[in-house]
Amino acid sequence: MNEIEILTWLRGPGLQISVALFALGLIFRTVQNLTIGMSKNLAESKGSYMMPGMATIVRRSLFHPGTTHRGYFTMIAGYTFHIGLLVTLFFLEQHILLFKSILGFAWPSLPPAIINITALVAIAALIAVLLHRIMDPVVRKLTDYQDFLAWILTIAPLITGYLAMHPIATTYQTALILHIVSAEVLLIAIPFTKLSHMVSIFIARWYNGALAGYKGVKS
Amino acid sequence: MSKQDNLLEILQRQGVSRRGFLKFCSAMASLMAMPPGTAPAIAAALSKAKRPSVIWLSFQECTGCTESLTRSHNPTVESLILGAVSLDYHHTLQAASGTAAEEAREHAMKEFFGKYLLIVDGSIPLKDNGVYSTIAGMTNLQMLEEAAKGAAAIIAVGTCAAFGGLPHAKPNPTGAVSVSDIIKDKPIVNVSGCPPIPVVITGVLAHYLTWGTIPDLDKHKRPLSFFGDSIHDRCYRRPFYDQGKFAKTFDDEGARSGWCLYELGCKGPTTNNACATLKWNNGTSFPIQSGHPCLGCSEPDFWDGGSFYSPLPTPSADVSTVALGAAAAGVAAGVAFGLYDHQKRKKAKQQHEKITVKDLDE
């Protein structure tokens, strides 16, 4: 198989398989979570589940005075990484062309010079959180192999994508193949790993908030 | 011209000055990425070189490669180098036809056994015993295998001979393959392109005449000095790519301003060739310069890489329908599992036996 054949496969059947598994897996898990439902509450209450749940989704995403010094690092590095990743993913012209051909619509892109920075910032933040994970005794105790797996799966498309933009010690074709492979592996892995937090974090925060914010007796 | 004449004598007879010849040698040295000091060596070797016998076999092809090479920059040294080889068989260019033509080929193969250069354009059909292309009652496969036996080296000219090209494109009805799919025991140089750049084949010939060897090749057996860089890396429109300035249609402001053609389907980033540096028609222009995206014609299987006009990131198959189908299946499976869980819980509740005070008494 030569590069053009590999690229054509990755852009065709490879993309179909990975997008299908991603959509099927993530939507299945989300719908299954939602259909569990909550048991019927027979007692009359003063409040509801909905609003406190929604408020918690917002509140848990904000900086607040109770956050500890250690928490600040997690929040700042976490936000830096996520913003860097999402801007790189959704505002690079090449990516928008892909979304356009799948979704049917497009949006304005950012200049490559800015995407270079957001990609590098995301990579740097990922390295920082990995060091923190290894060095901090508390976080280290909470770490299992899946955290390293998620880290590798996430940083791989960023590094290979940067290489495709600036081929160093490789050709553009090779970097592009590695980039698409790593992105497709990531898509497939999302529903099966804790990377599915891209949806479940909202459900989990809502549920926590709904339980804590409920005013009234539960039957 | 007798076969004993050396190249310089032939060129001088055709009105090429020594100065013109030396200029050509320097250009060849720099084109092939040789140190400047090799130009005199090329001149010395070329001026003494005897006319090599060349047998040119045309198989499943469109004659575009021959057109490209014979209509190169007339009347410069490049075209004369082509004229200076002893082209003993080329069924488009030779005057003889029929049995006389085939005799010329057989004669050259016998007389210069082990020394002649074999140039091939076009792919070789293998399906149904190769009946889809025959010359003088011989299949292309038979003719190639026979001619390859006595060849010093083989130059596969054009993407069809190098990689199978258009006949090899899906569904490949004739079972077309490249020269290197068949011949394994001879040095092969692939000069790919649809058609290839004339000066590239002149360069390969000059290299062979000078050193008696074939040049350094890349993994697709293409001369590294011409195919070492991608069109994209050498493109004069590259700064626009780096700035994110793209022409969106063929007649918008971006197209008129000469911006990057990436979004119009340019395959420059995945194509290695020398178009952006050597250019075509005596260095006049190349496709991207005239406003058309690169098709990627010097890469294997470029016909099967999707539309020429869809950008590189575009999927090569329908992803939207697959994604929608998968999403619907995800919802259905989620609801089905949810209902199953509900049923299970309901059943468990029904089967649950409540303990009464009476039970505790016992």
Side-chain angles (χ1 to χ4, degrees):
Chain A
M1 243 183 160
N2 57 55
E3 283 110 333
I4 300 289
E5 277 179 306
I6 296 172
L7 275 173
T8 307
W9 191 87
L10 288 174
R11 287 162 49 217
L15 192 63
Q16 284 176 324
I17 293 167
S18 53
V19 168
L21 284 175
F22 167 74
L24 186 117
L26 201 60
I27 291 174
F28 168 71
R29 286 193 67 167
T30 308
V31 172
Q32 199 194 13
N33 274 344
L34 293 176
T35 51
I36 292 170
M38 295 167 85
S39 54
K40 202 172 173 190
N41 191 0
L42 299 171
E44 200 182 320
S45 70
K46 281 192 281 179
S48 77
Y49 289 122
M50 187 50 74
M51 281 322 288
M54 288 300 185
T56 301
I57 293 179
V58 177
R59 204 176 303 117
R60 291 264 168 105
S61 309
L62 300 173
F63 287 76
H64 61 91
T67 314
T68 61
H69 179 65
R70 246 187 223 127
Y72 268 120
F73 171 82
T74 310
M75 290 204 80
I76 292 169
Y79 263 109
T80 310
F81 157 68
H82 280 94
I83 291 170
L85 176 75
L86 294 177
V87 170
T88 308
L89 175 61
F90 289 112
F91 291 98
L92 178 69
E93 184 66 28
Q94 283 84 335
H95 295 164
I96 295 175
L97 286 173
L98 175 64
F99 288 121
K100 188 185 172 188
S101 57
I102 295 175
L103 303 171
F105 57 91
W107 50 91
S109 62
L110 285 171
I114 291 177
I115 302 295
N116 275 338
I117 296 167
T118 57
L120 285 176
V121 162
I123 292 170
L126 266 182
I127 292 170
V129 294
L130 180 73
L131 291 177
H132 180 246
R133 185 176 282 285
I134 294 166
M135 282 152 65
D136 187 285
V138 177
V139 186
R140 194 166 58 217
K141 285 240 163 15
L142 293 169
T143 300
D144 66 4
Y145 83 96
Q146 219 202 87
D147 294 295
F148 293 113
L149 179 71
W151 187 87
I152 292 166
L153 287 171
T154 315
I155 203 166
L158 279 164
I159 290 176
T160 53
Y162 191 82
L163 268 183
M165 298 282 277
H166 313 270
I168 311 156
T170 177
T171 61
Y172 176 79
Q173 288 97 318
T174 312
L176 190 63
I177 287 170
L178 291 175
H179 180 57
I180 300 178
V181 167
S182 61
E184 289 179 355
V185 169
L186 174 65
L187 273 178
I188 294 171
I190 285 173
F192 304 104
T193 57
K194 54 176 70 177
L195 292 169
S196 60
H197 74 262
M198 63 186 282
V199 172
S200 60
I201 192 168
F202 299 105
I203 302 175
R205 282 184 179 170
W206 181 87
Y207 191 70
N208 274 336
L211 287 185
Y214 181 75
K215 293 189 185 75
V217 182
K218 287 180 94 180
S219 67
Chain B
M1 280 186 278
S2 93
K3 293 225 164 68
Q4 270 63 50
D5 286 343
N6 68 41
L7 209 65
L8 189 60
E9 284 164 14
I10 298 164
L11 291 177
Q12 276 170 347
R13 212 174 302 142
Q14 296 192 22
V16 177
S17 65
R18 182 166 173 78
R19 183 185 171 81
F21 176 68
L22 287 175
K23 256 171 83 178
F24 167 79
C25 294
S26 322
M28 276 298 144
S30 76
L31 277 179
M32 293 187 289
M34 304 280 178
T38 47
I42 295 177
L46 280 187
S47 60
K48 283 191 212 114
K50 297 278 182 255
R51 297 178 72 209
S53 172
V54 171
I55 294 175
W56 185 306
L57 301 178
S58 299
F59 296 142
Q60 287 196 128
E61 45 82 45
C62 67
T63 316
C65 298
T66 303
E67 291 285 343
S68 163
L69 296 170
T70 52
R71 283 154 205 260
S72 54
H73 345 136
N74 225 3
T76 61
V77 195
E78 284 93 328
S79 58
L80 290 177
I81 280 272
L82 277 177
V85 297
S86 170
L87 199 50
D88 291 329
Y89 178 79
H90 186 306
H91 67 204
T92 311
L93 299 180
Q94 70 194 141
S97 64
T99 321
E102 300 311 313
E103 268 173 11
R105 177 175 56 82
E106 280 158 20
H107 175 77
M109 277 165 53
K110 217 164 157 189
E111 191 181 344
F112 303 103
F113 190 86
K115 286 182 212 141
Y116 60 85
L117 265 181
L118 184 63
I119 300 184
V120 180
D121 69 332
S123 62
I124 301 99
L126 296 184
K127 207 173 158 190
D128 301 328
N129 296 322
V131 293
Y132 297 104
S133 178
T134 59
I135 298 161
M138 284 174 90
T139 64
N140 293 168
L141 177 66
Q142 288 168 332
M143 193 175 272
L144 175 65
E145 281 178 338
E146 200 182 290
K149 273 182 205 148
I154 303 174
I155 305 176
V157 170
T159 301
C160 293
F163 308 126
L166 177 62
H168 179 76
K170 281 176 193 139
N172 191 0
T174 64
V177 297
S178 68
V179 173
S180 46
D181 285 334
I182 296 169
I183 307 298
K184 305 284 182 194
D185 55 350
K186 294 281 172 185
I188 296 176
V189 183
N190 285 333
V191 181
S192 63
C194 191
I197 305 175
V199 74
V200 176
I201 185 159
T202 330
V204 174
L205 281 176
H207 191 287
Y208 180 76
L209 292 174
T210 307
W211 284 283
T213 57
I214 56 171
D216 286 345
L217 306 176
D218 71 1
K219 63 180 170 222
H220 295 309
K221 296 184 179 162
R222 301 177 296 193
L224 205 53
S225 48
F226 298 105
F227 292 89
D229 288 320
S230 71
I231 300 283
H232 184 60
D233 284 342
R234 295 287 175 192
C235 183
Y236 77 105
R237 295 196 191 208
R238 178 62 183 271
F240 295 116
Y241 174 89
D242 291 336
Q243 288 162 31
K245 289 178 174 171
F246 300 104
K248 308 271 179 191
T249 67
F250 280 103
D251 59 353
D252 68 354
E253 195 51 42
R256 278 190 284 275
S257 312
W259 288 359
C260 177
L261 301 169
Y262 183 83
E263 290 195 16
L264 293 171
C266 187
K267 306 291 184 287
T270 53
T271 306
N272 282 30
N273 205 340
C275 302
T277 39
L278 297 181
K279 300 191 180 175
W280 289 78
N281 297 328
N282 215 359
T284 307
S285 181
F286 72 113
I288 293 171
Q289 195 173 343
S290 56
H292 194 282
C294 168
L295 305 181
C297 75
S298 58
E299 292 298 316
D301 297 304
F302 81 102
W303 294 101
D304 295 326
S307 164
F308 291 154
Y309 299 101
S310 52
L312 269 174
T314 317
S316 59
D318 180 14
V319 175
S320 313
T321 315
V322 171
L324 263 178
V331 173
V335 171
F337 271 77
L339 284 175
Y340 175 70
D341 287 343
H342 269 283
Q343 290 295 321
K344 223 162 88 176
R345 268 193 307 229
K346 216 169 149 186
K347 217 169 160 191
K349 226 180 229 172
Q350 278 167 354
Q351 286 171 348
H352 179 71
E353 288 173 14
K354 282 183 182 156
I355 298 172
T356 59
V357 180
K358 220 175 146 191
D359 292 330
L360 292 173
D361 277 351
E362 283 171 2

